[in-house]
Amino acid sequence: MKKTIMILTVLIGAVALSSCKKKEDNSKVEGWKPIYSTTQNSEVETKASQPLQNPGRIYVYENLLLVNEKAKGIHIYDNSNTNSPVELSFISIPGNLDFSVNDGKLYADNINDMVIVDISNPTAPTYVNRIEDIFPTQQFPDEFGAFECVDPSKGQVVGWEKAMLVNPKCFR
Amino acid sequence: MKNLKNILAVACISAAIISCEKEEVTPVEDSSTPVATTKNAQAGPGIGGSLAQFTIVEGYLYTIDYKTLNIFSLSNPDMPSLSEKIDMGVGMETVFHQDGYLYIGANDGVHIYDISNPRSPMEVSDYEHVTSCDPVVANGDIAVATLRGGTECGGNLSQLDVIDISNIYSPELVGEVELSNPYGLGFSSSNANIVYVCDGYDGLKAYDISNITDPQLIMTMSDLEALDIISTADNNLIVLTTTGVHQFDATNPTQLVEKSVIQIQ
């Protein structure tokens, strides 16, 4: 996926550059750009199913396969037939990157908070609880290199994406 | 090996419970969709990939972030309570559990914690290497870790490390293999001498580590840009790639037969 994004970015970058040959801006470098949360922290909701777009963590719980959609939530698939997993539901959790399941309860990061979701009925997961302000927000990307400095006025950082940056001021 | 036995035991028990439950549940409601049921409240934790930053061990949830190891008690499952917070002072990437020890893959190597007392984990050793991104998994007396170098992670070395952990207080590098673009890794569930390595754009690879000082490449699936892997006791191999989530029959661990793909759309 990262590679696809990178290729896309490079393509878009190339198109952009070729279409405006006169632009003297040579200071564009590849780096990382914050993804800001546009929704409320507390909006945890269950949806029927969502297309898989940017998968992160994978997890097996009994006959379920759970796949994180980076910074967006968790897909739950019925995997009792491994030849044909079927999506049962999608739990929308803004900023979610990781999770674990124990005795039918799912524990997931939701930006700074932890949310607990009951998945004992995986077709209709139910929100249970929230523990606030337990996880720090990472103000820099996981990877080294140039990045666009975080602007807190734009919201909470929920992830990082590759981008062409003009004169980046932050480096890791 | 113990780990494998545990997984097997859990799988057998849960399989038994599920089959019982299905008999009870099916006739009652909505028989149109034979849907997975997870009503048994004593199912315990599931299995994560090697890149996981959350793991649950015996009623405690361990989470890592770029600076902290958090330990939550799940004695009230609806209301976890933070029982310990350890500032690691180093970027942490992954957490893996085996036999009462946590293996934390960090920017500066592998840190091993004794969690026999979950409320106060004790660092028993650290295995340091160059700066890089590095998931780690263990099986019996052997741990394997990948180091992903390149500009993205600092350091410039990409390799598989085979680490002898028979003396947990003094892990020792015994074998290494050069890799291209490694991410997650995992042991085969049917053969503890086989390690699958997700080598990014270079594909999914399998190494035979029967001779731990000299790992041998025994399989490469170069068409898969593999990122992480879960190997379950029923020889199902789940591989996250840049195109989706693939599942393979790994009955023959080096002749994988693709069963399904959840495609990225």
Side-chain angles (χ1 to χ4, degrees), chain A residues 1-4 6 30 32 50-68 70 77-88 96-105 107-110 113-114 116 118-123 128-131 133-140 142-145 162 172, chain B residues 14 18 22 34-49 51-56 59 61 63 65-68 70 72 74 76-82 85 91 93 107 131 133 148 151-154 183 201 225 227-230 232 234 236 238-245 247 258-265:
Chain A
M1 193 58 206
K2 247 183 208 163
K3 203 179 177 187
T4 326
M6 207 174 81
E30 188 171 78
W32 296 88
Q50 291 275 100
L52 186 67
Q53 289 173 325
N54 192 7
R57 306 279 180 253
I58 48 177
Y59 196 87
V60 173
Y61 179 69
E62 302 195 313
N63 45 7
L64 301 176
L65 170 62
L66 295 95
V67 180
N68 154 256
K70 276 183 195 165
Y77 299 89
D78 177 358
N79 200 32
S80 32
N81 177 3
T82 49
N83 291 303
S84 130
V86 178
E87 183 162 14
L88 300 175
N96 176 252
L97 294 173
D98 224 309
F99 63 93
S100 197
V101 181
N102 194 55
D103 294 347
K105 299 272 166 37
Y107 302 88
D109 64 314
N110 171 209
D113 299 351
M114 189 202 302
I116 300 102
D118 189 328
I119 60 161
S120 46
N121 178 0
T123 52
V128 174
N129 208 348
R130 160 185 309 278
I131 301 173
D133 283 329
I134 211 84
F135 301 122
T137 314
Q138 194 169 326
Q139 302 296 320
F140 51 85
D142 277 336
E143 319 275 339
F144 288 86
K162 266 205 171 137
R172 184 175 182 224
Chain B
S14 47
I18 292 162
K22 269 194 181 151
V35 140
T37 46
T38 59
K39 294 231 166 72
N40 43 325
Q42 298 307 315
I47 311 166
L51 301 179
Q53 299 191 319
F54 280 39
T55 191
I56 294 173
L61 166 65
T63 72
D65 52 57
Y66 70 95
K67 60 175 187 180
T68 324
N70 292 307
F72 299 91
L74 303 180
N76 177 354
D78 292 347
M79 180 53 111
S81 62
L82 183 66
K85 203 174 168 80
E93 310 281 346
N107 283 339
T131 306
C133 302
R148 180 156 56 94
T151 51
E152 290 185 350
C153 302
Y183 289 84
Y201 57 70
E225 194 167 336
L227 302 174
D228 203 5
I229 194 160
I230 296 176
T232 60
D234 55 357
N236 188 36
I238 303 170
V239 184
L240 172 70
T241 75
T242 52
T243 56
V245 181
Q247 298 194 68
E258 187 163 280
K259 294 192 283 188
S260 61
V261 189
I262 305 170
Q263 291 279 1
I264 288 175
Q265 290 174 25

Side-chain angles (χ1 to χ4, degrees), chain B residues 157-227:
Chain B
L157 203 62
S158 281
Q159 67 180 56
L160 170 70
D161 280 1
V162 182
I163 306 157
D164 181 345
I165 49 168
S166 51
N167 177 359
I168 198 87
Y169 297 97
S170 173
E172 198 185 335
L173 175 67
V174 287
E176 49 196 321
V177 180
E178 196 180 326
L179 296 170
S180 302
N181 181 223
Y183 289 84
L185 74 173
F187 283 89
S188 156
S189 54
S190 61
N191 183 341
N193 286 325
I194 293 178
V195 176
Y196 294 107
V197 176
C198 301
D199 201 9
Y201 57 70
D202 222 16
L204 175 67
K205 298 176 176 174
Y207 287 90
D208 181 345
I209 56 159
S210 334
N211 177 358
I212 52 174
T213 60
D214 186 21
Q216 295 294 319
L217 180 65
I218 50 171
M219 182 201 80
T220 306
M221 293 174 77
S222 49
D223 53 331
L224 291 175
E225 194 167 336
L227 302 174

